[in-house]
Every structure is written in structure tokens, then in C-alpha cells.
Amino acid sequence: MRFYSLTIAAAAMLLSGCSAYSMGAEPTNSAAPVVADAAGEHTQAGVANPSIWPSYTYPVVTSDETEARIAQIIARMTLEEKIGQLVQADLCCVTAQDVKEYNLGSVLNGGNSGPYGNDTAPAPQWLKAADEFYDASVDISDGGVGIPIVWGTDAVHGHSNIIGATIFPHNIGLGAMRDAELVERIAQVTAKEIRVTGQEWTFAPTVAVPQDFRWGRAYEGYSSDPELVASYVGAMVRGLQGAPNSQNLLAGPYVIASTKHYLADGGTKDGIDQGDADISEEELRDIHGAPYGPAIENGVATVMASFSSWQGKKMTGNRSLLTDVLKDRMDFKGFVVSDWNAHGQVKGCTNESCPQAITAGIDMFMAPDTWKAIYADTLAKAKDGTIPMARIDEANAAVLRVKMRLGLFEAGRPSERLLSGDYDLLGAPEHRAVARESVRKSLVLLKNSGVLPLKADANLLVAGDGANDIARQSGGWTISWQGTGIENDSFPGATSLYAGIESAVAQAGGTAQLSPDGSFTKKPDAAIVVFGETPYAEFQGDRATLALDTELTAPYETMRKLKAQGIPVVAVMITGRPLYVNPALNIADAFVVTWLPGSEGGGLADVLIGDQAGKARYDFTGQLPAAWPNTPEMGDGVLFPFGYGLNYTAPASAWQPLAEVDTANAGDSRNWLKAGVPASSWSLLVEGDGSGEETRITTLPVNALSGRVRVTASDYIVQEGARRFTISSGQSAVTLRNFEPIDLDRETNADVLLLFTAKTWTPLKNAKIGASGNASEGIVDLSLPKTDDYVRYGIPLKCFRTNGADMTALTKPFVLETNGPADFGLTEIRLGSDAEQILPCQ
């Protein structure tokens, strides 16, 4: 099936087509299932046929002199040095001394990593760390070759790990622009800001083609349409790297790019991150492979392999796709890096051992916290011949080729290079202007009864919980991995949506009052209500349906109240994907999708606010990058098709009320206890000390364990928003249980935390916290001081795995054991990364 047509019917197929996918797992036997290709010939599942794929010509020509230099270096390298070049470690778990000792080829900063243990470190600290890693890598005092290290970073919408950098709209917003020239300018700005702090490599652009927007990474894709995605890729790569055949990138304002995630991460069944794309090879090629042609033709330096599978075979171990198709058929001559410990998901592999990935075509392991183990194992496998020496040398040559193209050997220390330390470039006015232009061009108008544009001298009310929250409008991959727990003061120079509106009307004598709940003292001329998604990244954003969490629909009532008072309402939605929002569409007089606009919220005001006569200053030009759903269910058709978008010249038409469905149960599947109440299918229990006695907490107050435990309601944020456990004596446990085992393996791999928000009326001593399944348990010692209020604690899921829990099959992912008197309250238990206090693994 090809999703190229712009018709409503085709868009409906786009939304519903994913139901044809079937979830697969790694085959458990050597005889892979046999499937038929388009010609009726039988092939192995998950094994590609390179002959049906397009061929390209990689434009970067490595001179004979450079090839000879590479060969000479490899000939001088010890095996230990060769293995080191194939390993990338995260800042969380590596030092400059490690880089020297192990001759590591690369470091990266993951979403929650920064120099010196501080992911919010100021820009000079990043450059200082870059110098230290570089110095260690070129130190030849031990007689080594001294190959310069390359530092990779997730600058996926600007240099978004750095305080003060310009934050651009996420890719889905850029897809709404239909402007490849602007995409190239965005990439140029991003490259310059990366160079300021000394990094040389960005893990961008994401060229996924999302087919199911329940996927938590959907906003990282430009569009569901492969042609639109492909039309942007060359521009982004050129902006980051320069001309397709460019050499010595560090002599100019460039970095190396990485197209990701190869292949079909946007095509998994049900939009499950790291899942399986059980689709035909033709769909794999025509939909998900389409963006790789322009990437290769524009000389992209690296490709990142996906966590996901195709027909049950993990991409990171799929030689037919990594080597036979990408390297041989498509002529890709850069190097392939794996994703974060993704090699551990390949059949027969663990995070600590995976020769299969190297032999399949991975040139560099991204082994953030397991790099020492993967280094040692790969070295051993090279020594015993499991990994052929020719393959080790080939991978080293690929890495060296890119480093030489980058100019890394001649560039000197990061602080001595072009643009390094020019901190005024971070968030520079000319850079913010590019971002602001991209915001206004990305806005999509879905409804306008004539209320827009608003007059510049109007008295406006700006309501909704997202109006003055820069982190929320920026989304995930912003300063932190999930983009959560960040206040506006972490965005110096940035503009919230409200601040942009307030500035626009103030210049013309109007006013803008910020009132999240919609209350006011003087009746406004109109109200702008900002609502939508809160930040997330990767699988934390996977959803069961295309509906907002129920709590995020509270602004609907604000809109209704304002409308009842005769106030025109403009709904502005912050979102990383099309979602069912029919109630808001029905209520509002105008509806604008602002996607995840980033740091320059003034771009919204540019289009919403006209002049004093109400004439538009800028028109809406954005078009939907994917179809908009009619209901929360994928198969219920399309409300607005791909490419839809109104503007100020469109004639007004009567609004036909949309059908509304109940979304009361919509919510985050990783939030197990909220306001003291367990999520659907979960039970909150008080259990005894192995006696089998348990009490399920349903009504309050209640006595448990023969009266030793008293459970009552406690107020937190809302009345009775927490549960208080007063324990007089003995051993007891408060647990959350789900009879269907849950798999938290990928969350554990990604350093996700178990979060619980608790208050302790007395110090909690001799306690333990853990996770358990039917056949395993991981318990960690716990001690909490007396607190005056509720505190959100976090403990790494890895702690439970280290202590024996099978994280793939948990029925009780939260167990809090006490011994003796205790008095504590719980209001929320969930997964995440935004702890106020991280507890140690004891």
C-alpha cells in the first residue's frame, strides 16, 4: 500500500492501514518463516532482496591519498585500538581517562546527560569537556595512534540540550510548512550553535515516515507522506554538512549528520516504539526507504540503525538491510551507528555482548553505560575469530573516513575551532528570527468563523494551562530527554505563546491578561485558550488511542464558560501529532494547531494578531502533514485529510457540529496511581508478611492486616487526592498489582525511573522498595526522612533488575515494604524521569 494520494479516501487508508500490521518477535528457531514477495517468489522473513531496491551514488569521493593514509593508520593500530574506535560511550559513564585508556572512537550525551554530571551545565562547561575528551583521545604518550574522538548529540530541533540555544519546531511542525529552503536554513543555524560548544555530530535528521500516530516518536517525523519527508532530507543534510561532496567540514560552520532510524521505525504495529513492522518489502522500500535516497545523494555521513524490527528481525542485526541494501546497493559510504544499547535486543545478544551487530554491518556500538563490557566482549570475539578481522578493519576504515572528511585530524582542540566559544551565537537574534519564521509557517488553521485575525489593540484573555510554558511548547528532547521538569527560567531569551501575544497587542495599545482558568475582572474582546499535550519522548509517548489524557481536556470547560458569556474563543493546540479533539473544535470559534513550536512563541502572535483594523500581518500557510482523525480510534476515518489547512482568504462556511465520543478513560498507560486512585486494571493493595493476607483498597477509611494498618484519605492538590497508610507494627507492604504482566525492559534500558510521590509524617526507616513478577523480585533498601509536603521520588528501574527482577514480566512494579511503625502517604506512582529527588540503589 502506498500513502501518496492527497484524497480523503487515501488519508483514511493511512489512518486505518496500520491495522494490517501484525506484531512479531525475533524468530526463536533457525528456520525463518517463508513469505512470498510481489513476484510470488519465496524469501525468508526479515531478509531483504537488494535487487528490488533503488541504487544511488554516494557523492563523497575519498582521494587515493586519504585511503592510503587510512590504510597506514589501521596497519599501525593495535587490536585494542581498533575495537575502541567502534565503541561510543555516554557522558553518564565515561571519563577523559577512559577515552585515553580504551581509545574510544566517540562519546555522546544522551537526553539526560551533560558534562560533569550536569545535564543543565552552562555552555562553557560543554566546551571545556569537549577539550578534555579531545586531549585524551590524541594523547600518544602510551605509544598509541591517537585518533581524535567525535562527540555526538541529539540536536534534533536546534542545539536543544544547551541552555539558551534556539529551539525550533519539532519535525512534524516543519512538515506542515512545506518549505525545504527554510529547513536548510534551520539546519545551518543548528550546526552553528552546535559548533559553539564543541560538538561535531548531531543525531539528526529523523527521517521516519510515521504511519500510526499513537507512536511516541511521531513528532520526530516530518510527515506520514514519504514524498514530503524525502523532499526535506537533502535540505537538512546540506544545512548541517554543507555541499553533498563537502570535505573538511570543521573548517566551515558544519557538523556531520545522521539519518535515523534505519529502517521503518515509523511503521511498527500499533505505533509501538521499538516494535515490529510486519509489512511487505515493497512497503518497506517505498514508504520507509524513500528518504534514504536523498540522504545518500547529499552525502550524509552517518546512519543510525533502528531499535525496531522488520518481519520479526531486529534492524541492528539485519545484514540484508544494513550491508546488502544500505551499503552495497544504495552505495552508502559513511558509517552506521546503533541506537542506545539496541544491540542488546538482537536475537542471541545482550547489552554486554553482540558480535552479530558488527557482522551485520554496524560500525559503531552506541553502548552508553555498557561500553566497557561491549568493548571487552568485542575484543575477545575478534581475537577468537568470531568477528573476522577483515570486518573489524572495514568498520574502522568507515569511521576513519568520516573523521577525515570532518577534518578532525587537522582541526585541533574544540575550543580552537571556528565558532567555538562564540556564546552570543546561542539564541542569536538572527537565529531566533529563523525559528520564529518557522513557527508562523507551521501553524495550521482548522476552523475560523471569522474571529481571526484579532485586532492588535484588542483586550485579550489568554487562558489554558499551556499558555505560558516554554518547556511544554517545546516538547521532548529539550534540555532533558523527556522535556519535563523544566521552568521558563531555563530558556533565557525565549518567548512563551502568551508573551508573544502580550507583546504584539501591547505595541498597539491593547492588553493581554494571563489567566490559566479563564477567570477575569473585565470582559475581554476575545479569549485565546492554549491546551494540548505535555512533553514526552520515545516510548513514554506511546498511546493506546489518539485521545488526550482526560486531565488535559480540562480547558474544554474553560472554553464553554467563556463562550456562554458571549466571548469569542480561539483554541490553540500544542501537540506532537493529530489527535481527536472534536469537543474543542465544536466549542471554539477558531482552532489553530501550533504543534511543538519551540522557543519562539511570538510566531503564533504574528499570524493570530492583525493590525488595528483587523487586517492580517501574516496569513496561515501551514498544511496538515498527516491526516487528522475523526475519533480516537485509528479505523474510524479522517476528519481533515493530509494537506488540509485554511487561510484568511478562504470563505467562511457554517460549522457542522462534529460527533463527540467519550474519552473519560483516556490516560497515560504508565501512570498507575493518580490522586491516590489506581488506573484501570490495577489494584492498590496492603499485604502481610508472607501470610497471604491482603486488603484491596477500594473504599475509605479501611483497616487492613487485622487492624495493624489504617488507610485513610489525605488531601493533596485536590480533596482526598492521596492515600495515607498508618501502620502500628509488624511487617507489611503497599503494592500495585496488575494480573497481566507488563514488560518494562526497554524502559529499564533507557534509564527510566520508577516515580512515587510520597509524604512521610514520621521518618521511614527499615523499609524496602521493589518490583516483582510471578517468578522474580528485585528489592532495594529505602529510607526517607520526615517531610512537610509531598515529594516526587525516583529510583532507576535498573536497580530492580540488578537486584533480581525480571523486568519483562512484572505483576507488581511497585512494592513498598515496611517493618515496624510507619506513617506515609502516596498520591502518584508512575514511570518517568522528572524526579524531585533520585534515591540511591542500595
Side-chain angles (χ1 to χ4, degrees):
M1 187 185 302
R2 295 169 67 96
F3 300 105
Y4 293 172
S5 172
L6 307 189
T7 65
I8 294 178
M13 292 172 67
L14 186 152
L15 272 177
S16 62
C18 293
S19 62
Y21 300 173
S22 62
M23 184 63 179
E26 281 282 27
T28 56
N29 53 46
S30 59
V34 175
V35 295
D37 64 16
E41 298 176 356
H42 291 289
T43 59
Q44 281 189 319
V47 178
N49 175 9
S51 67
I52 71 169
W53 289 74
S55 60
Y56 306 100
T57 300
Y58 196 65
V60 183
V61 178
T62 307
S63 68
D64 291 343
E65 180 184 1
T66 299
E67 288 293 345
R69 184 182 178 190
I70 291 170
Q72 290 169 0
I73 291 174
I74 291 175
R76 291 169 49 206
M77 293 170 73
T78 65
L79 180 57
E80 287 77 8
E81 287 177 299
K82 291 177 180 180
I83 300 305
Q85 285 301 298
L86 310 186
V87 176
Q88 182 183 59
D90 184 72
L91 264 61
C92 71
C93 311
V94 69
T95 66
Q97 180 59 36
D98 290 330
V99 168
K100 176 184 175 182
E101 181 178 350
Y102 291 89
N103 302 288
L104 297 181
S106 180
V107 295
L108 81 149
N109 58 280
N112 286 330
S113 299
Y116 315 110
N118 181 10
D119 62 328
T120 59
Q125 294 291 297
W126 292 76
L127 185 54
K128 180 175 181 286
D131 272 353
E132 291 173 358
F133 283 125
Y134 173 85
D135 290 345
S137 69
V138 298
D139 187 336
I140 58 173
S141 61
D142 59 357
V145 176
I147 298 171
I149 200 163
V150 61
W151 183 338
T153 185
D154 279 295
V156 295
H157 63 140
H159 196 18
S160 51
N161 290 282
I162 305 299
I163 302 292
T166 309
I167 309 297
F168 292 94
H170 268 295
N171 283 357
I172 192 168
L174 303 187
M177 296 188 318
R178 307 299 204 273
D179 191 333
E181 185 274 334
L182 181 51
V183 166
E184 187 165 350
R185 285 192 279 135
I186 289 169
Q188 290 169 344
V189 169
T190 301
K192 289 178 181 177
E193 297 201 10
I194 293 171
R195 292 291 302 279
V196 168
T197 57
Q199 289 70 54
E200 309 97 349
W201 180 12
T202 175
F203 302 131
T206 301
V207 298
V209 189
Q211 301 298 291
D212 187 326
F213 281 82
R214 293 173 292 183
W215 183 37
R217 302 194 79 151
Y219 64 79
E220 295 185 52
Y222 298 113
S223 172
S224 61
D225 178 72
E227 292 181 354
L228 176 55
V229 176
S231 74
Y232 275 10
V233 175
M236 183 62 82
V237 171
R238 288 193 303 273
L240 292 169
Q241 297 189 165
N245 62 350
S246 58
Q247 299 282 349
N248 199 13
L249 274 62
L250 293 180
Y254 302 116
V255 296
I256 54 173
S258 185
T259 44
K260 64 181 187 183
H261 303 86
Y262 183 89
L263 190 60
D265 51 339
T268 61
K269 175 180 168 59
D270 297 331
I272 295 173
D273 192 48
Q274 303 181 23
D276 185 67
D278 190 10
I279 57 178
S280 71
E281 187 169 359
E282 287 72 26
E283 289 175 282
L284 183 73
R285 177 195 64 196
D286 297 341
I287 298 174
H288 305 284
Y292 284 88
I296 291 167
E297 290 176 331
N298 282 276
V300 69
T302 70
V303 168
M304 185 183 294
S306 179
F307 272 109
S308 61
S309 307
W310 173 53
Q311 293 183 356
K313 189 175 183 63
K314 285 289 179 181
M315 292 291 173
T316 306
N318 193 322
R319 179 179 172 83
S320 71
L321 286 168
L322 293 176
T323 297
D324 300 343
V325 171
L326 179 64
K327 294 182 176 183
D328 295 343
R329 179 68 174 179
M330 290 185 172
D331 197 40
F332 173 62
K333 293 294 190 288
F335 72 79
V336 179
V337 62
S338 59
D339 207 339
W340 185 282
N341 278 337
H343 56 272
Q345 297 185 10
V346 174
K347 182 185 177 184
C349 291
T350 66
N351 286 358
E352 295 75 24
S353 173
C354 194
Q356 295 93 320
I358 293 290
T359 57
I362 295 295
D363 300 305
M364 181 180 286
F365 283 112
M366 185 186 289
D369 55 351
T370 58
W371 65 267
K372 279 189 179 180
I374 204 73
Y375 169 91
D377 182 79
T378 306
L379 178 62
K381 295 298 194 303
K383 287 180 176 179
D384 69 14
T386 301
I387 305 174
M389 189 56 61
R391 175 69 192 110
I392 296 292
D393 288 348
E394 179 185 63
N396 268 270
V399 172
L400 288 171
R401 225 170 262 125
V402 169
K403 289 186 174 184
M404 288 186 178
R405 178 188 176 196
L406 186 57
L408 205 55
F409 285 81
E410 294 75 34
R413 304 178 85 214
S415 62
E416 298 169 355
R417 302 171 189 165
L418 180 70
L419 305 181
S420 290
D422 191 352
Y423 301 116
D424 288 341
L425 281 176
L426 296 173
E430 62 271 25
H431 294 178
R432 294 189 185 277
V434 175
R436 184 165 179 164
E437 179 184 353
S438 65
V439 173
R440 61 176 176 258
K441 287 185 174 179
S442 68
L443 303 173
V444 177
L445 180 64
L446 297 183
K447 179 183 180 181
N448 185 19
S449 64
V451 65
L452 291 178
L454 298 166
K455 291 184 178 180
D457 58 356
N459 296 312
L460 301 178
L461 180 72
V462 183
D465 50 10
N468 196 37
D469 189 335
I470 300 171
R472 184 164 174 183
Q473 71 191 42
S474 298
W477 299 107
T478 307
I479 300 180
S480 71
W481 173 39
Q482 295 291 319
T484 54
I486 306 167
E487 303 298 329
N488 282 357
D489 59 10
S490 292
F491 297 91
T495 304
S496 70
L497 299 178
Y498 161 72
I501 294 165
E502 196 277 333
S503 176
V505 296
Q507 294 176 34
T511 62
Q513 177 188 355
L514 178 64
S515 175
D517 66 359
S519 60
F520 57 85
T521 54
K522 180 183 177 181
K523 186 176 180 179
D525 297 322
I528 300 172
V529 180
V530 183
F531 77 105
E533 292 192 294
T534 52
Y536 55 84
E538 299 189 76
F539 45 79
Q540 292 288 89
D542 284 359
R543 300 201 60 78
T545 67
L546 291 173
L548 280 173
D549 287 354
T550 305
E551 67 181 65
L552 299 178
T553 64
Y556 293 0
E557 186 58 30
T558 301
M559 295 182 206
R560 290 190 185 95
K561 289 179 180 178
L562 292 167
K563 284 280 289 182
Q565 297 172 81
I567 300 169
V569 170
V570 178
V572 174
M573 185 178 184
I574 297 171
T575 185
R577 50 191 151 198
L579 292 171
Y580 164 81
V581 287
N582 287 12
L585 282 161
N586 283 333
I587 299 164
D589 298 285
F591 193 104
V592 178
V593 184
T594 192
W595 308 108
L596 298 169
S599 63
E600 305 314 302
L604 174 69
D606 289 343
V607 184
L608 261 59
I609 312 297
D611 60 19
Q612 289 175 306
K615 183 179 179 181
R617 295 180 296 151
Y618 294 92
D619 203 350
F620 285 93
T621 58
Q623 302 172 50
L624 287 178
W628 198 276
N630 192 42
T631 79
E633 301 304 323
M634 295 290 294
D636 288 348
V638 169
L639 180 60
F640 300 112
F642 169 89
Y644 184 86
L646 302 174
N647 56 40
Y648 287 141
T649 63
S653 58
W655 180 257
Q656 299 297 320
L658 304 172
E660 299 182 15
V661 300
D662 182 17
T663 60
N665 292 324
D668 184 352
S669 63
R670 293 168 181 83
N671 197 329
W672 305 321
L673 184 78
K674 188 171 186 178
V677 178
S680 175
S681 81
W682 290 86
S683 297
L684 178 64
L685 306 170
V686 176
E687 299 180 316
D689 54 351
S691 64
E693 183 181 5
E694 68 176 33
T695 300
R696 183 182 175 201
I697 309 304
T698 54
T699 59
L700 297 173
V702 65
N703 291 325
L705 304 187
S706 303
R708 289 192 294 109
V709 180
R710 176 75 169 171
V711 186
T712 57
S714 176
D715 295 341
Y716 177 67
I717 299 180
V718 297
Q719 187 175 5
E720 299 189 354
R723 300 294 175 261
R724 182 173 180 174
F725 301 86
T726 305
I727 303 168
S728 62
S729 62
Q731 293 182 340
S732 61
V734 175
T735 67
L736 274 173
R737 180 179 66 195
N738 190 333
F739 286 110
E740 292 295 327
I742 61 172
D743 183 349
L744 298 185
D745 187 58
R746 58 181 181 168
E747 287 85 349
T748 305
N749 185 50
D751 289 334
V752 172
L753 307 174
L754 171 67
L755 301 173
F756 64 101
T757 303
K759 178 179 179 179
T760 45
W761 279 268
T762 61
L764 193 60
K765 300 178 180 180
N766 301 318
K768 297 180 183 294
I769 188 168
S772 67
N774 294 327
S776 70
E777 183 178 59
I779 298 294
V780 178
D781 291 338
L782 177 68
S783 177
L784 300 178
K786 179 182 181 297
T787 58
D788 295 327
D789 203 351
Y790 281 85
V791 177
R792 185 167 61 253
Y793 298 101
I795 185 165
L797 291 175
K798 286 184 178 179
C799 297
F800 307 132
R801 181 173 67 187
T802 300
N803 284 282
D806 177 1
M807 304 305 288
T808 67
L810 297 175
T811 52
K812 295 179 181 177
F814 177 87
V815 179
L816 177 55
E817 298 180 357
T818 59
N819 188 1
D823 193 359
F824 61 90
L826 294 170
T827 179
E828 183 182 55
I829 301 171
R830 61 180 172 88
L831 298 181
S833 59
D834 53 331
E836 295 172 325
Q837 181 178 335
I838 297 180
L839 301 171
C841 291
Q842 299 187 15

